[in-house]
Amino acid sequence: MTFAATVLTLYPEMFPGPLGVSLAGRALREGRWSLNAVQIRDFATDRHRSVDDTPAGGGAGMVLRADVVAAAIDSVADDRPVLAMTPRARPLTQARVRDLAAGPGAVVLCGRFEGFDERLFEGRAIEPVSIGDYVLSGGEMGALVLLDACVRLLPGVMGAASSGIEESFESGLLEYPQYTRPAIWEGRTIPEVLRSGDHARIAAWRKHRAEADTRLWRPDLWERHVDTRVQSPSGAHDKDEGQKT
Ligand code: SAH
């Protein structure tokens, strides 16, 4: 099964963009996933081909029209989830990315201006997705982020070495730090344990650093990790990171 991505956007020329190079680009050419960028403006019905209008209640900027965007969605709708890029949502998680990558693909809706007419979320089954607590000028870069995160998990996209199992977030923790040659750089050495060849010691060191760095940089993740461990002493993965309602 090929992961089918459809992006609804006012700027289809932004795709595949960075997804056309490196691992994602090679996988695209190999047919491991497909990408279709659809111009929302093609679904405008008035003679000015307008896609937006002024905000009800007043205020700055323009709002994307529900009727035009819904027509664009309906033209591509199938069994794939429809995700709308918006800062007014829970931030995307690796757990949600994994679910998406295991499915048939995604329809990704990119906002511009002040975003979408809210009735769109009432009239269609749309999952709002944020890529973080900051504001972009458009949803396209968010769509690229989301698709990149999905595509690298598809079978055959990354080398066998990078199964992704030990990576940041997969265990509810950040990954341990990595080192490579040269053995000494500007007088700094690689931690002795990593050169010891003692796999048990290396594993213990990595676990310690993953925990310490998560506590330091992401106390929110750490707290959740500790809570999960208390509830399931087996150390099972955090199943629901709260992306789904
Ligand atoms: N006025 C809106 C922001 C609109 S930004 C607000 O304050 O909520 C314009 C578009 O950029 C949005 O419609 C969305 O598609 C995209 N965008 C901005 N920030 C984003 C984020 N953090 N995650 C995903 N998409 C984002």
Side-chain angles (χ1 to χ4, degrees), residues 22-198:
S22 192
L23 293 182
R26 195 185 64 202
L28 188 59
R29 288 187 293 279
E30 288 172 354
R32 294 185 196 278
W33 68 293
S34 68
L35 177 61
N36 181 25
V38 173
Q39 172 58 270
I40 294 172
R41 199 174 294 281
D42 290 345
F43 297 87
T45 49
D46 64 343
R47 63 192 179 88
H48 296 112
R49 302 224 300 155
S50 52
V51 295
D52 56 344
D53 211 328
T54 53
M62 299 293 273
V63 177
L64 284 166
R65 288 168 53 148
D67 56 345
V68 177
V69 176
I73 294 171
D74 294 347
S75 78
V76 299
D78 48 25
D79 60 336
R80 293 171 297 165
V82 180
L83 314 173
M85 286 295 140
T86 167
R88 301 186 61 251
R90 288 197 200 95
L92 184 65
T93 62
Q94 186 67 11
R96 184 65 186 119
V97 165
R98 231 175 227 294
D99 276 359
L100 286 170
V107 175
V108 188
L109 180 55
C110 303
R112 281 272 157 180
F113 323 123
E114 296 308 317
F116 309 100
D117 184 314
E118 186 65 16
R119 291 170 295 177
L120 198 56
F121 296 92
E122 298 161 12
R124 294 292 181 277
I126 298 174
E127 176 184 336
V129 175
S130 166
I131 64 155
D133 293 339
Y134 39 80
V135 181
L136 307 170
S137 55
E140 288 77 11
M141 298 216 206
L144 292 168
V145 166
L146 177 125
L147 293 175
D148 181 77
C150 290
V151 165
R152 63 191 288 283
L153 296 180
L154 299 177
V157 174
M158 292 194 304
S162 326
S163 65
I165 295 305
E166 283 195 28
E167 282 180 323
S168 293
F169 311 116
E170 292 293 351
S171 61
L173 296 175
L174 303 181
E175 196 186 59
Y176 47 79
Q178 303 275 13
Y179 300 84
T180 188
R181 280 179 284 273
I184 301 175
W185 173 71
E186 295 191 350
R188 293 162 202 278
T189 56
I190 293 172
E192 181 275 324
V193 53
L194 297 180
R195 292 175 283 134
S196 69
D198 181 338

